[in-house]
Amino acid sequence: MEFFLATAAELVTLADEVAKCLWRRKIATGHGQGSILVDRSLEAQAPRSSEGAHLPVPQFRQGEQPRRHHTYAALDLGTNNCRLLVARPTGEGFRVIDAFSRIVRLGEGLGASGSLHVNAMGRAVDALAVCAQKMRDRRVDRARLIATEACRAADNGLLFVERVLKETGLDLEIVDRETEARLAAAGCIPLIDRNLDGVVLFDIGGGSSEIVWLDIDPADRNRQPKVRGWTSLPVGVVTLSERHGGVRVTRESFERMVDDVSTMLASFSHREAIAKRVKHLHLLGTSGTVTTMAGIHLELPRYDRRRVDGLWMSRGEIDEVLERLLDMTYEERVANACIGPERADLVMAGCAIFEAIRRAFPCERLRVADRGLREGLLVQMMQEDRVWRHNGAGRNP
């Protein structure tokens, strides 16, 4: 699996924004009501190896050649999934040499209790141990390992991070919602249609959903799209399905889920500006929800990332898939090759979040991304290390 970027220079502006946001990371605690601002030195932020020892952050003296032979790892521990990518730079992109994904449901029951459950933490630690072994096997020497909404919201999130470090050697960073949104955007830039005026990118997670408005300059469509606004909804597939039920979903209960999310979206301050300024818009979705819908649309006998990533779906095609899903029983969702038993009780909540988003930002086309936050992390690290400097990536476009 190899990712090529439109040009290396295109990544710089957004990657710079991401880097700055990461160096000034806020770690949210409790239930999102307060936050601790953590200002760490460069040395203190050096990623840890799987044995717990600090790995050096590459430093460059003026005139020194960038190091292009690092093996990079990007790990995303979310409310529902634990995902890892291991990659090496190639030309204007990177080549994935190892990957891992497991549904761990870390946030199961979090909405009711406010804490991570012992069984959920155990599942996550087991998955992270696999990631640690893969990183050792691939001799990873540069890594970003992040945790998102479940650890942000749980009152024992920081204690869980300490447990992970002790048991696996992986030093997780709990990132704030803005960082999460910008990283997802950075990973999806190559899929933007620059012939339009703007893009609304969304990432439906297990415990939160991020929405980013990317503006395209009509005077120079080759320039880097700019982040004009973003929001994070405090709801994802796990929390919404636990609130409304995800096994037996009727059309009426589905609409209640959509209404719930629509109420949250109403406070997004940039909705009016998008409606006024963006005449030609497309949606860009990066989440298990949209990739599942794409697989159903293509009638895949088993999920195939190569056919799904970058797929365009029209409004009519999305409507057709939603109708098929609404007509399915839970047992039929379990039997579907693109859903399966691990997602059967979550997919309708994801569809409800997606439906609320497309009602808020009506347009004719959706582009499906089987990429996002992890790819954004890889881009950010490689840009920091100037691996593309030889072909112009060190200059702003």
Side-chain angles (χ1 to χ4, degrees), residues 270-292:
H270 293 281
R271 279 186 61 180
E272 187 175 340
I274 294 171
K276 288 181 178 179
R277 292 180 51 182
V278 184
K279 295 181 180 179
H280 303 288
L281 174 77
H282 83 81
L283 293 176
L284 177 55
T286 168
S287 68
T289 297
V290 292
T291 57
T292 296

Side-chain angles (χ1 to χ4, degrees), residues 217-230:
D217 184 355
D220 186 357
R221 296 188 181 276
N222 291 322
R223 287 183 64 86
Q224 177 70 38
K226 294 182 178 180
V227 176
R228 294 295 187 187
W230 71 278

Side-chain angles (χ1 to χ4, degrees), residues 184-185 188-202 211-217 221 224-230 268 270 274 277-286 312 357 361 363 365-369:
C188 294
I189 284 175
L191 297 182
I192 292 173
D193 183 350
R194 302 196 180 214
N195 294 315
L196 302 184
D197 302 324
V199 178
V200 171
L201 177 144
F202 61 91
I211 300 171
V212 183
W213 171 26
L214 294 165
D215 192 22
I216 299 170
D217 184 355
R221 296 188 181 276
Q224 177 70 38
K226 294 182 178 180
V227 176
R228 294 295 187 187
W230 71 278
F268 182 31
H270 293 281
I274 294 171
R277 292 180 51 182
V278 184
K279 295 181 180 179
H280 303 288
L281 174 77
H282 83 81
L283 293 176
L284 177 55
T286 168
W312 286 101
I357 291 170
F361 307 103
C363 60
R365 295 192 303 162
L366 161 75
R367 196 162 201 190
V368 178

Side-chain angles (χ1 to χ4, degrees), residues 323-339:
E323 286 296 315
R324 288 176 61 182
L325 283 165
L326 285 166
D327 286 339
M328 285 184 187
T329 64
Y330 172 74
E331 291 73 21
E332 289 171 332
R333 297 198 300 271
V334 168
N336 187 282
C338 292
I339 304 173

Side-chain angles (χ1 to χ4, degrees), residues 7-12 92 387-397:
T7 66
E10 286 182 344
L11 294 162
V12 174
E92 293 187 350
V387 299
W388 299 302
R389 189 175 180 85
H390 63 292
N391 55 8
R395 299 185 301 272
N396 286 325

Side-chain angles (χ1 to χ4, degrees), residues 80-354:
N80 197 45
N81 291 279
C82 175
R83 298 186 179 100
L84 171 75
L85 283 183
V86 180
R88 294 192 182 113
T90 58
E92 293 187 350
F94 55 82
R95 180 171 62 91
V96 174
I97 62 172
D98 207 344
F100 174 80
S101 179
R102 180 181 294 178
I103 293 176
V104 296
R105 300 205 180 199
L106 179 59
E108 189 172 44
L110 174 61
S113 68
S115 301
L116 301 176
H117 191 272
V118 61
N119 292 339
M121 290 189 287
R123 292 192 297 266
V125 169
D126 289 345
L128 290 166
V130 175
C131 294
Q133 186 60 53
K134 284 181 172 290
M135 292 168 66
R136 283 193 292 269
D137 292 344
R138 293 294 185 173
R139 299 191 178 189
V140 168
D141 56 359
R142 191 82 158 86
R144 292 284 184 198
L145 318 172
I146 70 168
T148 57
E149 184 64 21
C151 290
R152 280 195 298 258
D155 54 24
N156 59 345
L158 292 177
L159 291 175
F160 170 70
V161 168
E162 292 174 3
R163 174 184 170 184
V164 169
L165 178 59
K166 181 179 179 180
E167 297 188 22
T168 72
L170 299 183
D171 193 4
L172 296 175
E173 305 170 3
I174 305 177
V175 297
D176 62 30
R177 288 175 175 175
E178 181 175 5
T179 299
E180 185 177 355
R182 289 179 182 272
L183 284 168
C188 294
I189 284 175
L191 297 182
I192 292 173
D193 183 350
R194 302 196 180 214
N195 294 315
L196 302 184
D197 302 324
V199 178
V200 171
L201 177 144
F202 61 91
D203 183 359
I204 300 171
S208 68
S209 298
E210 280 61 51
I211 300 171
V212 183
W213 171 26
L214 294 165
D215 192 22
I216 299 170
D217 184 355
D220 186 357
R221 296 188 181 276
N222 291 322
R223 287 183 64 86
Q224 177 70 38
K226 294 182 178 180
V227 176
R228 294 295 187 187
W230 71 278
T231 190
S232 180
L233 308 181
V235 67
V237 296
V238 174
T239 49
L240 193 65
S241 64
E242 287 182 349
R243 189 180 305 170
H244 291 273
V247 174
R248 308 298 173 194
V249 180
T250 66
R251 290 177 182 269
E252 291 74 21
S253 63
F254 180 78
E255 281 299 321
R256 287 194 292 272
M257 286 194 282
V258 174
D259 290 343
D260 195 355
V261 180
S262 295
T263 300
M264 300 177 195
L265 268 171
S267 62
F268 182 31
S269 59
H270 293 281
R271 279 186 61 180
E272 187 175 340
I274 294 171
K276 288 181 178 179
R277 292 180 51 182
V278 184
K279 295 181 180 179
H280 303 288
L281 174 77
H282 83 81
L283 293 176
L284 177 55
T286 168
S287 68
T289 297
V290 292
T291 57
T292 296
M293 293 180 70
I296 293 171
H297 165 64
L298 295 171
E299 298 186 344
L300 298 178
R302 64 178 181 272
Y303 185 78
D304 185 348
R305 182 195 178 278
R306 294 171 297 178
R307 294 188 62 187
V308 168
D309 186 51
L311 177 74
W312 286 101
M313 292 182 67
S314 68
R315 181 197 296 266
E317 289 167 341
I318 295 167
D319 288 339
E320 182 180 351
V321 172
L322 278 175
E323 286 296 315
R324 288 176 61 182
L325 283 165
L326 285 166
D327 286 339
M328 285 184 187
T329 64
Y330 172 74
E331 291 73 21
E332 289 171 332
R333 297 198 300 271
V334 168
N336 187 282
C338 292
I339 304 173
E342 291 184 319
R343 297 182 183 273
D345 62 335
L346 302 177
V347 65
M348 298 312 298
C351 288
I353 296 171
F354 172 45

